């Protein structure tokens, strides 16, 4: 069975990032995947120090990422980039965890700008040879995009149905492309080699 791991880069108790990732995971489960949320609040991850072996829960977290067929990375927008908590996890995880792994990206903004956060995540995942889905999710003004609903996932419902559909699509795509082996050649480059 395909396994999908979502990593929440938010440490807030009432995190919109975590709620959105729960929707991603729900959609992935509906598509037949086994899912898990890696909530960084639940792990002891000291600031990464390459000179110190076996820091905190570093090995356990790396194993979770390494064993997943696909990974969703979610972060709030902090100063135009992603959170320090997610950056610290990314410092622990390198090629062994991400190479040839399908990765989906999600960012939640308090205001209106999330583009650079998604760009930074894409660049750093590509730096460790992860395969980043073209489909990504950005949520502007996140606090106004969810309404309290005890029947909804994580007790919050999306206000905008199109935004919920886009978020759920990320979960489906993580399952659909979890085992892809991208062919980076094209007919044009093949012709040039002849």
């Amino acid at each position: 069975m395909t396994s999908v791991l979502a990593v929440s880069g938010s440490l807030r108790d009432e995190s919109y990032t975590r709620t959105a990732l729960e929707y991603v995971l729900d959609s992935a489960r509906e598509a037949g995947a086994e899912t898990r949320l890696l909530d960084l609040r639940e792990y002891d991850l000291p600031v990464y120090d390459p000179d110190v072996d076996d820091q905190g829960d570093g090995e356990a977290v790396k194993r979770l990422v390494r064993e997943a067929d696909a990974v969703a990375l979610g972060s709030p927008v902090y100063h135009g980039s992603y959170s320090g908590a997610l950056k610290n996890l990314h410092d622990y995880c390198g090629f062994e965890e991400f190479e040839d792994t399908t990765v989906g990206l999600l960012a939640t903004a308090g205001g209106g700008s999330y583009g650079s956060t998604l760009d930074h995540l894409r660049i750093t995942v590509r730096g460790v040879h992860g395969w980043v889905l073209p489909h990504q999710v950005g949520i502007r003004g996140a606090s106004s995009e969810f309404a309290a609903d005890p029947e909804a996932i994580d007790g919050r419902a999306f206000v905008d149905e199109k935004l919920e559909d886009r978020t759920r699509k990320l979960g489906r795509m993580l399952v659909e492309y979890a085992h892809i082996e991208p062919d980076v050649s094209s007919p044009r480059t093949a012709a040039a080699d002849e």
Side-chain angles (χ1 to χ4, degrees):
M1 177 180 281
T2 298
S3 63
V4 175
L5 177 73
V7 181
S8 177
S10 174
L11 301 181
R12 292 181 72 178
D13 288 337
E14 300 296 322
S15 168
Y16 297 108
T17 302
R18 196 165 37 259
T19 296
L21 287 171
E22 290 286 8
Y23 277 85
V24 170
L25 292 177
D26 185 64
S27 180
R29 275 190 299 277
E30 289 175 354
E34 179 181 273
T35 64
R36 180 174 184 153
L37 177 70
L38 195 166
D39 186 340
L40 293 176
R41 297 175 307 162
E42 299 172 0
Y43 293 86
D44 172 30
L45 279 183
V47 173
Y48 179 70
D49 182 343
D51 290 330
V52 179
D53 292 329
D54 300 324
Q55 285 184 272
D57 294 326
E59 287 302 318
V61 167
K62 288 180 1 180
R63 185 176 58 256
L64 288 173
V65 175
R66 189 171 44 250
E67 292 176 353
D69 296 312
V71 176
L73 297 177
S75 179
V77 175
Y78 287 167
H79 308 299
S81 192
Y82 56 100
S83 70
L86 190 57
K87 175 66 170 85
N88 191 45
L89 170 104
H90 204 349
D91 288 343
Y92 276 89
C93 299
F95 293 105
E96 286 185 28
E97 288 71 38
F98 280 108
E99 189 160 19
D100 297 328
T101 299
T102 299
V103 179
L105 305 178
L106 181 143
T108 57
S113 180
Y114 55 74
S116 58
T117 300
L118 293 170
D119 286 345
H120 296 169
L121 283 168
R122 180 176 301 279
I123 290 164
T124 56
V125 170
R126 286 173 56 191
V128 289
H129 300 174
W131 190 79
V132 183
L133 289 171
H135 179 80
Q136 57 191 11
V137 176
I139 300 176
R140 290 183 174 92
S143 63
S144 62
E145 291 296 343
F146 294 95
D149 181 347
E151 302 297 315
I153 293 171
D154 208 28
R156 293 180 178 155
F158 273 94
V159 173
D160 181 346
E161 187 177 302
K162 288 181 180 177
L163 187 55
E164 179 179 349
D165 289 346
R166 184 168 182 78
T167 304
R168 287 183 172 279
K169 181 178 178 181
L170 184 61
R172 290 190 307 273
M173 291 187 76
L174 283 164
V175 177
E176 183 177 351
Y177 294 102
H179 302 286
I180 192 170
E181 293 183 23
D183 181 0
V184 294
S185 64
S186 72
R188 182 179 220 167
T189 58
D193 290 340
E194 293 177 357

